[in-house]
């Protein structure tokens, strides 16, 4: 592929989120979880959506993944408006989602099994991606024998093996400690660069977002709107070493400025809800 | 090596030791005259009766008959109960309509309805098998519904995002996820089935170990009666060991 071809491909949005609105409930109990959100993800780009807890990130994730079909606006892949799961999208969920009754390799080979890929080939391909996430020596283990971080890596390998055009991840590292998170982040960056994988990452972790992303969509707390979209001009290939750089610190400080307001609104909200609950017994 | 064996089998050995202590305790109480030996014979007498019931009463063949009835009734309640459970899970209306009735069925003392079954199926192993089957059905149905309904939503979402068909979803996600709870149902069910089968054999004086226990009791052969009961336990242990095998084969990693 020539450089000009690559840049022209890179201009073309792989995913368009256009004025999406999602409300839950009815009458006076209506919660607007996602409020007129728009952004695009280009081919091969790594975009993060960051926002405080409860701002509608998972809701957005489910809409883009086609699991919530009842929404306003449009999520588009090519010309198609998403209202059901799209074969080009692979999802990694916030909650632990490995199959406890399958070994690591059978978990990872699962999507290939569904496609009817022959056993030896699917084992080879599963093996490749298990290697990529660094679990080669655990292929025959069951999820119950793995740590939380290892299980998330299994879920990631399981999606990568089906080679989705767009990888969608909802706080895949939320349950992990900071060190594991940084190292897994390295893995993700490496994989993303190796496969030129178009990725949308949902997160509430600032360093993670800056470490991994080309762009960051900052959300407001309730209703979940786009507050700002920040370009991250850190050099690629990137590793977690970038965390120590001045530029990194600069981005983190800048985005934290935006987020602080939202996060404290979120806190105040939940505190008042708690005291309301307390006074109502 | 002996030490390693000891450490690995500590729970089993502890269980056996507890049993032994109880048996010796009874022996002492009975020999000491605290417990009437015409109600509970001393364990040593029961042990001696084993040879007699095996050689003279041919109890092993009777165990085989009981085991056969158990296999048919227990197997049928799995083969029928699981699909009914699946249907109830699929249809919310059916489920709401039926669940309480099935719960009632599980709790009902079906053994007492034996005259009805005698009329329907005659004094034959068929009656015994059908009654065992009916009694074993409810727990499997209920636990199948419960197991399927407790599948974690995120696993279902994984399936949806992979665009799985309904049947793929059932065979590859719902059923394996429900399996441990379904097996709990099978264990409950088989307990009911065995109680019913031996009970009915005893009541209608037909066939396997139950009938023999009845005969021995009527002859006031108490050690023999208790030895017969030990064989019922043996049959039960065999079934539960087999079930455990099947479960760990179907459910690796749990
Ligand atoms: N199925 C639903 N029914 C009603 N309200 C919902 C539903 N799902 C989400 N909400 C509401 O929508 C809002 C956004 O929820 P969402 O799960 O998208 O937040 P989030 O940003 O992913 O939070 P977190 O970071 O804690 O995962 C919340 O106020 C939540 O109560
Ligand atoms: Mg969420």
């Amino acid at each position: 592929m020539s450089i000009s071809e690559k840049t022209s491909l890179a201009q073309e949005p792989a995913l368009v989120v256009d004025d999406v609105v999602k409300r839950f409930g009815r009458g006076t109990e209506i919660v607007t979880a996602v409020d007129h959100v728009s952004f695009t993800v280009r081919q091969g780009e790594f975009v993060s959506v960051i926002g405080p807890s409860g701002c509608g990130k998972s809701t957005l994730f489910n809409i883009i993944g086609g699991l919530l079909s009842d929404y306003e606006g449009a999520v588009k892949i090519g010309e198609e408006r998403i209202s059901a799961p799209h074969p080009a999208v692979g999802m990694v969920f916030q909650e632990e989602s490995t199959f406890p009754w399958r070994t690591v390799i059978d978990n990872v080979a699962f999507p290939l099994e569904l496609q009817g890929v022959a056993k030896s080939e699917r084992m080879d391909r599963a093996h490749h991606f298990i290697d990529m996430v660094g679990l080669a020596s655990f292929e025959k283990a069951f999820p119950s024998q793995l740590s939380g971080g290892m299980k998330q890596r299994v879920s990631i390998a399981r999606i990568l093996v089906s080679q989705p055009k767009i990888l969608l991840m909802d706080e895949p590292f939320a349950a992990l400690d900071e060190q594991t998170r940084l190292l897994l982040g390295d893995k993700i960056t490496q994989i993303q660069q190796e496969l030129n994988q178009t990725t949308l990452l949902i997160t509430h972790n600032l360093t993670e977002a800056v470490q991994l992303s080309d762009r960051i969509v900052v959300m407001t707390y309730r209703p979940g709107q786009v507050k700002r979209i920040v370009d991250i001009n850190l050099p690629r290939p990137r590793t977690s070493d970038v965390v120590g750089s001045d530029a990194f610190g600069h981005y983190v400080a800048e985005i934290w400025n935006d987020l602080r307001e939202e996060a404290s609104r979120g806190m105040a909200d939940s505190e008042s809800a708690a005291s309301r609950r307390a006074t109502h017994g | 090596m002996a030490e390693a064996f000891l450490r690995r089998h500590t729970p089993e050995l502890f269980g056996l030791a507890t049993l032994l202590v109880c048996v010796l305790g009874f022996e002492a109480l009975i020999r000491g005259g605290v417990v009437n030996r015409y109600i509970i014979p001393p364990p040593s007498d029961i042990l001696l009766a084993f040879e007699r019931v095996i050689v003279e009463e041919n109890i092993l063949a009777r165990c085989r008959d009981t085991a056969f009835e158990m296999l048919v009734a227990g197997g049928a309640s799995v083969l029928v109960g699981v699909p009914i459970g699946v249907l109830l899970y699929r249809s919310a209306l059916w489920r709401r309509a039926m669940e309480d009735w099935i719960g009632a069925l599980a709790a009902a003392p079906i053994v007492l309805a034996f005259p009805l079954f005698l009329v329907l199926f005659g004094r034959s192993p068929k009656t015994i098998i059908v009654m065992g089957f009916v009694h074993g059905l409810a727990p499997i149905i209920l636990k199948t519904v419960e197991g399927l309904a407790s599948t974690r939503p995120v696993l279902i979402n994984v399936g949806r995002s992979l665009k799985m068909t309904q049947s793929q979803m059932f065979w590859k996600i719902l059923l394996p996820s429900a399996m441990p709870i379904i097996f709990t149902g099978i264990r409950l069910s088989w307990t009911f089935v065995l109680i019913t089968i031996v009970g009915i054999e005893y009541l209608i004086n037909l066939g396997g170990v139950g009938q023999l226990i009845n005969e021995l009791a009527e002859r006031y052969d108490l050690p023999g009666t208790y030895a017969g009961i030990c064989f019922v336990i043996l049959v039960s242990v065999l079934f539960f060991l087999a079930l455990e095998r099947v479960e760990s084969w179907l459910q690796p990693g749990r």
Side-chain angles (χ1 to χ4, degrees):
Chain A
M1 200 184 276
S2 74
I3 289 179
S4 65
E5 260 172 341
K6 199 166 179 173
T7 42
S8 81
L9 252 185
Q11 297 311 318
E12 195 174 301
L15 175 74
V16 177
V17 176
D18 184 15
D19 208 26
V20 168
V21 178
K22 175 70 197 174
R23 298 189 178 90
F24 287 109
R26 48 185 69 235
T28 52
E29 294 287 292
I30 283 188
V31 175
T32 306
V34 179
D35 193 16
H36 299 284
V37 168
S38 302
F39 61 88
T40 61
V41 182
R42 290 189 287 268
Q43 211 78 247
E45 196 180 20
F46 195 118
V47 174
S48 291
V49 173
I50 191 167
S53 181
C55 75
K57 303 185 297 295
S58 294
T59 307
L60 191 60
F61 168 84
N62 286 326
I63 291 172
I64 298 171
L67 297 178
L68 266 181
S69 54
D70 174 28
Y71 66 95
E72 295 159 46
V75 172
K76 281 189 179 161
I77 293 173
E79 285 305 297
E80 200 181 330
R81 181 182 186 270
I82 298 298
S83 59
H86 191 285
V89 177
M91 301 173 85
V92 177
F93 292 84
Q94 181 169 6
E95 289 161 84
E96 203 280 297
S97 66
T98 54
F99 300 124
W101 56 88
R102 284 173 170 255
T103 58
V104 167
I105 192 155
D106 286 338
N107 257 288
V108 174
F110 185 74
L112 303 176
E113 195 180 307
L114 296 178
Q115 293 163 19
V117 176
K119 174 143 188 176
S120 66
E121 191 193 336
R122 68 175 190 251
M123 288 300 138
D124 282 350
R125 280 165 65 182
H127 183 80
H128 175 77
F129 286 97
I130 292 173
D131 232 15
M132 199 180 249
V133 298
L135 288 177
S137 52
F138 291 92
E139 286 191 346
K140 293 276 176 285
F142 284 94
S144 58
Q145 298 164 294
L146 305 180
S147 72
M150 291 157 95
K151 286 185 211 169
Q152 274 310 18
R153 280 187 272 171
V154 173
S155 308
I156 292 169
R158 181 176 64 193
I159 275 312
L160 290 176
V161 82
S162 62
Q163 297 177 303
K165 282 223 197 65
I166 301 168
L167 176 61
L168 200 54
M169 296 192 279
D170 188 5
E171 304 192 28
F173 316 130
L176 308 182
D177 61 79
E178 192 65 24
Q179 298 90 290
T180 319
R181 190 199 291 271
L182 284 171
L183 293 176
L184 256 185
D186 261 350
K187 271 268 178 275
I188 292 291
T189 315
Q190 194 189 328
I191 290 165
Q192 197 249 341
Q193 280 157 183
E194 230 167 88
L195 307 175
N196 193 32
Q197 177 74 58
T198 310
T199 311
L200 181 65
L201 172 76
I202 309 267
T203 179
H204 57 219
N205 187 288
L206 195 45
T207 49
E208 179 179 298
V210 178
Q211 179 196 350
L212 300 174
S213 310
D214 297 312
R215 277 190 306 151
I216 298 179
V217 178
V218 182
M219 304 265 294
T220 61
Y221 177 77
R222 280 216 212 154
Q225 295 171 327
V226 175
K227 180 154 191 161
R228 201 151 76 92
I229 297 180
V230 186
D231 283 297
I232 305 295
N233 292 313
L234 295 171
R236 286 200 187 270
R238 238 181 250 173
T239 67
S240 53
D241 293 346
V242 79
V243 171
S245 71
D246 285 347
F248 184 90
H250 185 77
Y251 280 121
V252 170
E254 184 184 333
I255 298 170
W256 172 234
N257 240 339
D258 286 330
L259 271 179
R260 180 163 42 200
E261 256 175 69
E262 301 306 324
S264 45
R265 277 211 295 142
M267 290 259 283
D269 216 28
S270 46
E271 270 165 20
S272 68
S275 66
R276 260 203 312 280
R277 265 197 305 279
T279 49
H280 286 270
Chain B
M1 217 187 84
E3 198 180 322
F5 176 86
L6 274 178
R7 202 170 314 137
R8 204 148 60 89
H9 293 280
T10 307
E12 288 95 329
L13 292 172
F14 192 74
L16 281 178
T18 311
L19 187 68
L20 199 66
V21 167
C22 287
V23 167
L24 291 176
F26 265 107
E27 186 83 33
L29 288 176
I30 296 161
R31 283 188 190 279
V34 182
V35 174
N36 186 336
R37 64 161 60 217
Y38 295 105
I39 296 172
I40 300 178
S44 54
D45 286 3
I46 298 175
L47 210 60
L48 288 174
F50 268 60
E51 193 196 343
R52 193 154 39 78
V53 294
I54 292 173
V55 176
E56 291 169 22
E57 310 291 347
N58 204 9
I59 198 169
L60 292 177
R62 288 177 178 266
C63 282
R64 198 196 53 213
D65 292 350
T66 300
F68 173 76
E69 291 161 357
M70 168 87 198
L71 191 69
V72 176
S77 49
V78 175
L79 291 179
V80 176
V82 173
I84 293 180
V86 172
L87 285 179
L88 289 189
Y89 168 74
R90 284 272 161 88
S91 153
L93 176 66
W94 259 55
R95 188 171 156 189
R96 279 207 307 275
M98 300 294 295
E99 220 161 22
D100 290 342
W101 288 106
I102 297 167
L105 177 68
I110 288 175
V111 179
L112 298 180
F114 80 94
L116 171 68
F117 287 83
L118 269 183
V119 171
L120 287 173
F121 299 98
R123 191 168 161 269
S124 73
K126 234 192 283 173
T127 299
I128 299 175
I129 289 172
V130 172
M131 290 194 69
F133 161 74
V134 171
H135 207 177
L137 208 50
I140 295 188
I141 297 174
L142 293 176
K143 287 289 170 185
T144 301
V145 175
E146 185 190 324
L148 293 170
S150 66
T151 305
R152 291 175 55 217
V154 68
L155 298 186
I156 293 173
N157 278 339
V158 169
R160 288 177 63 201
S161 77
L162 292 172
K163 298 192 83 64
M164 287 170 76
T165 62
Q166 286 271 313
S167 103
Q168 286 176 326
M169 196 78 129
F170 175 75
W171 289 107
K172 292 184 182 290
I173 293 183
L174 289 169
L175 192 63
S177 148
M179 211 52 110
I181 298 180
I182 294 178
F183 266 93
T184 308
I186 297 178
R187 255 184 240 110
L188 264 170
S189 154
W190 284 12
T191 311
F192 288 178
V193 172
L194 188 64
I195 293 173
T196 309
I197 284 178
V198 176
I200 300 293
E201 281 175 348
Y202 185 99
L203 279 172
I204 69 177
N205 209 11
L206 183 82
V209 204
Q211 184 199 14
L212 181 64
I213 293 174
N214 186 354
E215 274 174 22
L216 293 165
E218 301 217 321
R219 273 189 249 150
Y220 289 106
D221 180 353
L222 280 187
T225 306
Y226 279 87
I229 292 171
C230 288
F231 277 89
V232 175
I233 295 172
L234 185 76
V235 171
S236 144
V237 167
L238 286 179
F239 270 90
F240 279 85
L241 284 180
L243 190 62
E244 224 164 71
R245 274 292 164 85
V246 174
E247 188 174 6
S248 65
W249 173 67
L250 280 174
Q251 293 281 299
R254 296 213 199 181

